Amino acid sequence: MVITFELGVEDLADTRFALSPLNETVLSLRVLREPGLSALHLPWRRSVLRSLGELDGFDAGLLLSLVAERRTVPDFLTPRPEGFAPTFEEELAVVRRTAPAVVRRDLLDTHLPDPPPEPLRTALDRAGDTAVRRLRDALCELLRRYWEIAVRPEWPGMRMLLEADMTYRARRLALGGARLLFADMHPSLRWHRGVLHIADMIGRHHVLASGRGLLLLPSVFAHKPAPPLSPDGAPTLAYPCRGVATLWSRPPVVEAPALTALVGAAKARLLTMLDEPLATVELARRLRVTPSAVSQHLRVLHANGLVARARDGRQVLYRRTSLGGRLAGGGGGGGREQAGGGAGE
């Protein structure tokens, strides 16, 4: 099954990125339900299940019933962000205003060809809208509590990872247009003659953007491209973010006492990480500190010839020099050094 988005010149001009904490919260339910979906998220999953087990009156069965056997989730729970980075509360307010008819349709469509599971069936089987409104509001409250426990504590680190991915993708778009943008986003995506093909989908439909543009949502919890189930909305695509493997890992431990004694633990840790070019924001995310703190250490390392820096589009990338590599025990700096340069932090 293939879903296609047909994009005109104006749609490509209106292609943009956005962050959606609600989208991440809803997609994370798939990982919570199926531990085999992504081994990368198992540390997060274990921690969340432990925390949820300590909550009184939390209906985990109702929450997980939102994920169908085929791993689809209801469209009304992942509304298209209007701005770049709405808050979770702003997005949840949109969901709370969803008409009962849309809630009923999306929940039924999510579970097709199977009937909805028991936690949803009672409300959906009733003829009136009152029961569906109550179900909608109950789901919103569950999602709010779940967000507070499962996603909000990790959101700062997740956001830095998502923004780093957007920077990378935006540069790809600037250098090679849509073809280069989608080339390494996921094997299921293919750009051909103004049409974005999304393979390995549940359904099959063709969406004309018709001047509405394309919205791209990098996602920590999406294991493959995730367009809306319904063909009626504007083209929106959540896609797997780069670097997720580093999200739940602990900062590297410096094992060279001499290096630590020479430059300090923080700078030594940075040197061990810089065997590949990395931006300040990505280093800060991995170390779970502020970018300004990382910048201060990088300035000192750069001034002493231990790291080189070079501008890549709108960001500055840092990498060990050969001297820095010898001190870190890596043997080299990975290419031509650029110890000078006029790039800022």
Side-chain angles (χ1 to χ4, degrees):
M1 294 290 188
V2 178
I3 293 175
T4 52
F5 291 157
E6 184 173 338
L7 307 172
V9 174
E10 289 300 319
D11 298 306
L12 287 175
D14 287 338
T15 295
R16 64 183 179 91
F17 293 85
L19 300 172
S20 174
L22 177 58
N23 188 80
E24 287 297 272
T25 301
V26 173
L27 291 182
S28 74
L29 295 175
R30 301 195 296 196
V31 176
L32 204 65
R33 174 172 166 163
E34 297 187 40
L37 195 60
S38 177
L40 297 176
H41 295 307
L42 289 179
W44 168 86
R45 183 179 183 273
R46 285 192 294 266
S47 175
V48 169
L49 287 176
R50 185 166 54 249
S51 298
L52 292 179
E54 298 171 356
L55 287 180
D56 293 331
F58 187 83
D59 193 344
L62 176 57
L63 191 64
L64 292 179
S65 71
L66 296 172
V67 183
E69 291 294 330
R70 55 183 187 169
R71 298 171 182 164
T72 48
V73 293
D75 283 349
F76 81 94
L77 291 178
T78 55
R80 195 176 201 250
E82 292 301 323
F84 170 69
T87 66
F88 178 84
E89 292 74 16
E90 289 170 340
E91 292 191 287
L92 196 63
V94 175
V95 177
R96 291 185 190 276
R97 296 193 295 268
T98 308
V102 175
V103 174
R104 184 190 301 275
R105 180 202 67 195
D106 285 358
L107 289 174
L108 291 174
D109 287 351
T110 296
H111 291 279
L112 286 176
D114 302 316
E118 184 57 39
L120 302 173
R121 195 175 306 160
T122 302
L124 296 178
D125 283 347
R126 295 179 180 175
D129 290 341
T130 301
V132 179
R133 288 193 185 94
R134 290 174 179 167
L135 174 62
R136 176 199 63 196
D137 294 344
L139 291 173
C140 286
E141 180 58 22
L142 276 174
L143 282 171
R144 185 194 63 77
R145 296 181 68 189
Y146 174 70
W147 150 262
E148 294 288 343
I149 291 293
V151 182
R152 184 179 181 181
E154 306 294 343
W155 182 246
M158 290 171 61
R159 175 163 180 162
M160 283 194 287
L161 182 70
L162 297 172
E163 289 186 346
D165 182 90
M166 285 189 288
T167 299
Y168 170 80
R169 301 292 172 196
R171 183 171 184 270
R172 301 271 292 180
L173 180 63
L175 291 176
R179 191 181 309 279
L180 191 59
L181 169 64
F182 298 114
D184 67 343
M185 192 173 279
H186 193 271
S188 296
L189 294 176
R190 182 172 65 91
W191 174 260
H192 182 65
R193 295 185 177 180
V195 178
L196 179 63
H197 300 257
I198 312 166
D200 302 323
M201 292 288 102
I202 297 298
R204 178 193 299 273
H205 56 255
H206 183 78
V207 179
L208 287 171
S210 302
R212 295 174 294 178
L214 172 65
L215 179 64
L216 297 170
L217 300 170
S219 172
V220 165
F221 290 107
H223 65 288
K224 67 177 185 177
L229 279 177
S230 172
D232 299 331
T236 304
L237 184 67
Y239 66 89
C241 179
R242 299 170 74 246
V244 174
T246 67
L247 188 59
W248 315 123
S249 61
R250 295 182 178 179
V253 176
V254 178
E255 299 179 353
L259 177 61
T260 302
L262 178 65
V263 300
K267 297 180 184 66
R269 190 175 297 119
L270 279 173
L271 274 180
T272 62
M273 296 173 66
L274 286 172
D275 55 348
E276 60 173 322
L278 293 173
T280 303
V281 66
E282 175 62 15
L283 289 165
R285 186 193 65 77
R286 294 189 186 186
L287 292 171
R288 300 187 181 184
V289 298
T290 64
S292 61
V294 171
S295 292
Q296 293 176 17
H297 294 307
L298 288 173
R299 277 195 291 270
V300 174
L301 293 172
H302 179 261
N304 287 276
L306 302 181
V307 301
R309 63 188 183 189
R311 184 169 294 281
D312 182 18
R314 299 179 61 184
Q315 64 180 348
V316 176
L317 299 180
Y318 290 84
R319 188 168 187 171
R320 284 197 306 258
T321 61
S322 56
L323 174 59
R326 289 195 295 272
L327 287 175
R336 183 170 52 192
E337 299 177 16
Q338 301 178 33
E345 300 301 328

